[in-house]
Amino acid sequence: MIKKYSIKELLNKGKDVINKKVLVEGWIRSFRYSIFIILNDGSTIKNLQIILSKKLEKKIYKKITIGTSIQVIGTVIKSIGKKQYIELLSSDITIYESVNSSILQKSILQPKKHSFEKIREQAHLRFRTNIFSCVMRIRHHIAFCIHKYFHINDFFYIHTPIITTLNCEGSGKMFQITTMDFKKNPIDFTKDFFKCKTYLSVSGQLEAETAALGLGKVYTFGPVFRAENSNTSRHLSEFWMIEPEIAFYNLEENINLAEDFLKFIIKYILNKNIEDLFFLNEYFKKWNKNDKKYLLDKLYLILKFPFKRISYTEAIKILLKEEKNKNIKFFHPIIWGMDLQSEHEQYLVNKYFKIPVIIFDYPSCIKAFYMRINNDGKTVRAMDILFPEIGEIIGGSQREERYEILLQRIKDTNTDKNKLWWYLDTRRFGSVPHSGFGLGFDRLVQFITGMNNIRDVIPFPRTPNNAEF
């Protein structure tokens, strides 16, 4: 019986399969000199070279075009070429579906460079391109690695609701869910499906906190939604978040966990996806010749040094000093109490420290109600981890475990305490210090793959004015 192999499996076996008869399947990437087929099945960035037998019927040759899906039976031989160790001498080819040349010319599968905008228009086909197959394989392994990290560290995976009645942060726009006819005026939401106003969730944090206060260590990993009109290269309307919550953890322990978590993921991907990363690294070298910080160098830098940790107040002092001494003109004026802008974060990471930076103890006026107030009464036990190029990659805090203080914070921020009765209730039944953070999964994939636009690291991006496919 002839054994079927994926191309990755076959190439990895190398000399062990020479002279063996095998079966492979895939899509044709190129057809050269009417004898060499370059085949790929998505399992690896590498291709398998097929040598066509002279005994094949001529009608088969006419059906061989780029994109055509085929099955090949043949004998593995050692290649005389330098680009591959083995190749396949075909004895039989079955064509599943050929691609009409006129259709091919209009698609992104034709062998030429396309803009990312053009490729995005054909998102249903871009999995077949080299660069996006790399990104999607890396995306898969990052997701798997995240579950692995939490599993070996005794976290429990929980599913928090996608449908909610409250914005976790207390601000921002949300997608409303209803079965009501909005043409009717006024709308009586007590007659709606859930008998109240409901939305697509922006976070599972609050629900995860309740789970942590019974299970100790939990995490969520799922889709969340923002209805903000942020049509930038760093924002999506539908994206994925990882949110661990840990009972009996203070802010420092939370920061240690977050740094270890990020380094674990990057180390894992460097080990598991080095071929894909190398392809992306060479791609960016070719097309971004002015950028000397290549992808692999950037990833290894994350592992090389401990992240720099500074307070928000220290960060403000550094920025003011740099502005004065080096005559730097920031677009946004630097004032204590402001929310740091991307230009400030990137200066600290790229210019001043030149390594990832963790900023903690932010002003309470710019942070959410659930963050623990410090003894100074002005700052909260919050932290952000800033990475080169993309800025904030993790945001987290020690949560306010004291009932009266939490209640006052809810009132001060004009948050509806009636909708949070259950959240407040957890502070009356054996409340403990606890912490957590949120990591934007797609933004992490963007950083690791080096892609400039977050739309290019998710299979089917949902952004303002765009919900195709």
Side-chain angles (χ1 to χ4, degrees):
M1 184 176 178
I2 300 172
K3 186 173 180 179
K4 179 179 176 179
Y5 288 90
S6 71
I7 289 177
K8 179 180 181 179
E9 185 182 14
L10 192 66
L11 293 175
N12 285 344
K13 287 191 173 292
K15 63 181 181 180
D16 295 334
V17 289
I18 289 177
N19 297 325
K20 289 187 177 180
K21 202 164 190 177
V22 301
L23 183 153
V24 294
E25 295 163 312
W27 296 272
I28 296 173
R29 285 282 174 85
S30 69
F31 185 32
R32 299 182 294 115
Y33 310 120
S34 297
I35 187 171
F36 297 114
I37 286 177
I38 303 302
L39 197 68
N40 190 280
D41 64 357
S43 62
T44 174
I45 186 61
K46 292 182 178 180
N47 302 311
L48 177 65
Q49 181 164 281
I50 311 292
I51 304 172
L52 294 185
S53 170
K54 295 179 181 178
K55 297 179 181 179
L56 291 176
E57 297 181 27
K58 289 185 178 180
K59 65 179 182 180
I60 289 181
Y61 283 83
K62 293 180 180 179
K63 294 181 179 179
I64 295 175
T65 58
I66 292 171
T68 294
S69 53
I70 62 173
Q71 178 194 87
V72 184
I73 295 173
T75 303
V76 180
I77 61 174
K78 187 173 181 179
S79 177
I80 59 173
K82 295 181 180 180
K83 292 185 178 181
Q84 61 278 326
Y85 181 75
I86 60 172
E87 53 195 10
L88 190 63
L89 181 60
S90 67
S91 57
D92 185 61
I93 289 182
T94 300
I95 294 180
Y96 290 129
E97 187 68 41
S98 60
V99 179
N100 185 284
S101 58
S102 62
I103 297 176
L104 179 64
Q105 292 303 314
K106 298 177 183 179
S107 79
I108 58 172
L109 300 182
Q110 56 180 313
K112 57 180 279 190
K113 179 173 168 57
H114 302 280
S115 68
F116 285 112
E117 291 77 11
K118 178 68 175 178
I119 298 174
R120 215 173 291 136
E121 292 173 2
Q122 299 181 29
H124 58 301
L125 296 177
R126 63 180 180 169
F127 299 97
R128 304 259 291 273
T129 65
N130 281 331
I131 193 163
F132 285 98
S133 65
C134 282
V135 171
M136 292 305 146
R137 281 189 293 269
I138 291 171
R139 184 184 175 98
H140 158 76
H141 284 291
I142 295 172
F144 179 85
C145 174
I146 287 167
H147 287 297
K148 180 178 181 179
Y149 178 87
F150 287 124
H151 178 70
I152 63 179
N153 284 284
D154 297 322
F155 280 72
F156 297 105
Y157 178 35
I158 65 167
H159 301 118
T160 52
I162 291 174
I163 298 172
T164 184
T165 59
L166 184 72
N167 184 342
C168 170
E169 299 294 334
S171 62
K173 295 182 178 179
M174 302 170 71
F175 292 104
Q176 189 172 339
I177 300 172
T178 182
T179 57
M180 300 286 287
D181 183 357
F182 272 81
K183 293 178 182 178
K184 294 181 179 180
N185 191 22
I187 297 170
D188 184 0
F189 284 103
T190 61
K191 296 179 181 178
D192 206 349
F193 189 88
F194 293 106
K195 297 189 181 299
C196 62
K197 277 188 178 182
T198 52
Y199 308 88
L200 292 178
S201 178
V202 298
S203 170
Q205 178 204 310
L206 301 187
E207 292 88 349
E209 281 189 58
T210 67
L213 293 175
L215 295 171
K217 298 162 76 173
V218 303
Y219 74 102
T220 75
F221 188 177
V224 292
F225 307 86
R226 283 194 186 275
E228 295 170 355
N229 192 19
S230 300
N231 208 351
T232 77
S233 62
R234 297 173 60 219
H235 292 89
L236 291 166
S237 300
E238 176 189 69
F239 53 102
W240 288 69
M241 284 287 290
I242 302 101
E243 296 176 297
E245 289 291 329
I246 316 98
F248 308 103
Y249 254 43
N250 59 32
L251 182 67
E252 184 178 0
E253 291 170 307
N254 194 32
I255 290 173
N256 292 340
L257 175 74
E259 180 173 347
D260 184 66
F261 178 51
L262 288 169
K263 288 184 174 182
F264 180 90
I265 294 169
I266 290 173
K267 186 176 181 180
Y268 181 91
I269 298 303
L270 281 166
N271 178 56
K272 197 74 177 179
N273 289 89
I274 192 62
E275 291 178 350
D276 290 316
L277 289 172
F278 185 77
F279 174 86
L280 292 172
N281 192 65
E282 295 305 303
Y283 177 89
F284 292 123
K285 277 186 180 181
K286 183 177 180 180
W287 299 110
N288 300 328
K289 293 181 180 179
N290 294 327
D291 184 6
K292 301 301 181 184
K293 296 179 181 178
Y294 298 124
L295 180 60
L296 288 172
D297 296 334
K298 180 180 69 175
L299 295 178
Y300 282 118
L301 179 65
I302 302 298
L303 302 178
K304 191 173 182 180
F305 302 104
F307 297 173
K308 180 63 180 180
R309 304 182 183 192
I310 58 171
S311 70
Y312 170 89
T313 301
E314 288 176 292
I316 291 293
K317 288 179 180 178
I318 290 170
L319 291 168
L320 286 171
K321 183 178 178 181
E322 290 291 289
E323 190 176 45
K324 180 181 179 180
N325 294 345
K326 297 187 178 179
N327 197 29
I328 297 167
K329 296 296 180 183
F330 292 111
F331 181 79
H332 296 89
I334 302 164
I335 304 169
W336 195 97
M338 68 174 293
D339 201 355
L340 292 176
Q341 301 299 308
S342 179
E343 60 174 333
H344 307 133
E345 295 174 343
Q346 287 304 300
Y347 185 85
L348 291 169
V349 175
N350 295 327
K351 302 292 185 183
Y352 194 81
F353 291 111
K354 298 181 181 179
I355 56 173
V357 176
I358 302 174
I359 300 178
F360 58 89
D361 286 354
Y362 281 83
S364 60
C365 59
I366 61 172
K367 290 297 182 180
F369 67 87
Y370 51 76
M371 298 183 179
R372 194 182 201 279
I373 292 283
N374 283 316
N375 292 335
D376 60 14
K378 298 188 299 181
T379 61
V380 290
R381 301 295 285 157
M383 66 91 171
D384 288 338
I385 298 183
L386 312 179
F387 265 18
E389 299 174 17
I390 63 171
E392 180 191 333
I393 197 164
I394 277 181
S397 69
Q398 183 173 335
R399 316 310 189 189
E400 183 56 77
E401 83 277 12
R402 298 164 293 185
Y403 177 85
E404 294 297 336
I405 296 176
L406 178 61
L407 179 61
Q408 188 59 49
R409 284 283 288 158
I410 288 174
K411 292 178 180 177
D412 291 343
T413 55
N414 295 317
T415 306
D416 189 348
K417 68 175 184 178
N418 295 321
K419 290 184 179 180
L420 282 172
W421 65 268
W422 53 273
Y423 184 71
L424 281 163
D425 218 28
T426 60
R427 272 56 176 180
R428 300 194 299 162
F429 289 87
S431 182
V432 299
H434 60 287
S435 300
F437 59 81
L439 167 63
F441 177 65
D442 307 283
R443 195 168 286 186
L444 177 62
V445 178
Q446 186 183 5
F447 175 79
I448 290 176
T449 59
M451 301 297 282
N452 290 325
N453 198 314
I454 201 166
R455 294 171 176 86
D456 298 323
V457 302
I458 190 168
F460 299 103
R462 297 290 180 257
T463 55
N465 305 316
N466 177 49
E468 284 191 280
F469 310 103

